[in-house]
């Protein structure tokens, strides 16, 4: 259950629009734009992302890129891939390969506290695929078993008491280990306190 917390912390970058993509012929050559202030629901420029879930251009799935811009009208990100190609992609098709922390594992308690990098999210199984630090081992983790880092943009899901926030994106400000809840900035003057399982990259 989310609980409203006092205002505070002016809007800082974030993740926005959802779904699909489009190519950008000619790339970003000659294109200039003013760097906009960060917002909680929009991925900041320079954020590293992984392309995922594309159907029409599936050849780009799994590729790494960097957020170059966000287009409010189409709710799409301009992402520059490592090979230099620029694509217009909706937020649901981007995954932040953040460095998180394993927590709450009962079957494998030895993993708790270990750092890991998010490599994918299996929506059908509701699990992240992460790579543990210092090894090639891949582990599948439920959202409640992964602590996202400060600054990550993530979508609120499954709230019953305040359903108006479901499917909205916010910025992780902190994680209260005692209460096992995130503090999430949803807007310049609104924060939520949500459980681990109520926040998805």
């Amino acid at each position: 259950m989310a609980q409203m917390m006092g205002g505070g912390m002016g809007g800082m970058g974030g993740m926005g629009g959802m779904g699909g993509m489009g190519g950008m012929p000619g790339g970003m050559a000659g294109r200039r734009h003013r760097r906009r202030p960060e917002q909680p629901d929009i991925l900041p420029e320079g954020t590293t992302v992984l392309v995922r879930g594309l159907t029409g251009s599936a050849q780009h799935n799994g590729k790494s890129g960097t957020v170059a811009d966000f287009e409010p009208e189409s709710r799409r990100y301009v992402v520059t891939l490592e090979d230099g190609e620029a694509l217009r992609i909706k937020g649901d098709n981007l995954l932040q390969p953040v460095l998180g922390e394993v927590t709450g594992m009962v079957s494998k308690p030895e993993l708790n506290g270990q750092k890991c990098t998010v490599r994918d999210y299996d929506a059908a199984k509701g699990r992240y695929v992460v790579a543990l630090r210092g090894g090639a081992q891949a582990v599948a983790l439920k959202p409640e078993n992964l602590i996202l880092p400060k600054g990550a943009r993530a979508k609120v899901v499954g709230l019953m008491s305040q359903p108006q926030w479901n499917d909205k994106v916010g910025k992780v400000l902190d994680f209260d280990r005692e209460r096992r809840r995130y503090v999430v900035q949803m807007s310049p003057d609104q924060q939520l306190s949500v459980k681990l399982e109520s926040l998805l990259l």
Side-chain angles (χ1 to χ4, degrees):
M1 299 289 190
Q3 299 175 344
M4 292 300 298
M5 300 179 67
M9 314 264 328
M12 330 268 323
M15 176 175 153
M18 316 275 127
M21 71 144 260
M24 295 187 67
M28 300 290 290
R31 178 174 179 172
R32 293 178 179 276
H33 67 275
R34 180 182 300 176
R35 193 180 185 92
R36 63 175 55 85
E38 285 194 359
Q39 303 172 47
D41 63 334
I42 306 296
L43 286 171
E45 295 176 26
T47 299
T48 299
V49 292
L50 297 174
V51 180
R52 60 181 296 274
L54 297 180
T55 54
S57 299
Q59 72 271 18
H60 295 300
N61 289 332
K63 292 184 179 180
S64 177
T66 303
V67 172
D69 196 9
F70 176 71
E71 301 176 343
E73 299 80 10
S74 63
R75 303 297 293 176
R76 291 172 184 262
Y77 291 93
V78 177
V79 176
T80 304
L81 301 179
E82 290 182 335
D83 61 8
E85 184 176 2
L87 304 174
R88 294 170 63 248
I89 309 178
K90 292 185 178 181
D92 268 355
N93 295 103
L94 297 175
L95 181 72
Q96 302 157 79
V98 299
L99 179 64
E101 179 184 329
V102 182
T103 184
M105 292 288 285
V106 177
S107 59
K108 296 182 178 180
E110 67 276 9
L111 298 182
N112 292 329
Q114 289 198 35
K115 299 295 183 181
C116 60
T117 302
V118 175
R119 295 303 185 198
D120 199 1
Y121 179 71
D122 187 332
K125 296 181 179 179
R127 285 171 167 76
Y128 293 106
V129 177
V130 306
L132 298 178
R133 295 294 296 272
Q137 181 182 4
V139 179
L141 298 177
K142 294 180 180 179
E144 56 262 40
N145 296 126
L146 178 67
I147 299 175
L148 301 177
K150 296 178 183 179
R153 268 60 179 188
K155 184 190 300 183
V156 177
V157 297
L159 296 187
M160 302 296 288
S161 62
Q162 299 185 72
Q164 72 272 21
W165 293 111
N166 289 330
D167 295 325
K168 304 294 185 183
V169 173
K171 176 184 178 181
V172 176
L173 294 181
D174 203 359
F175 179 70
D176 185 328
R177 292 178 179 274
E178 184 175 343
R179 299 177 64 233
R180 293 185 63 76
R181 289 174 178 265
Y182 292 109
V183 178
V184 185
Q185 189 83 45
M186 303 302 296
S187 71
D189 58 354
Q190 291 180 311
Q191 297 177 7
L192 291 180
S193 174
V194 300
K195 296 178 179 179
L196 286 162
E197 60 267 30
S198 296
L199 208 59
L200 296 179
L201 284 175

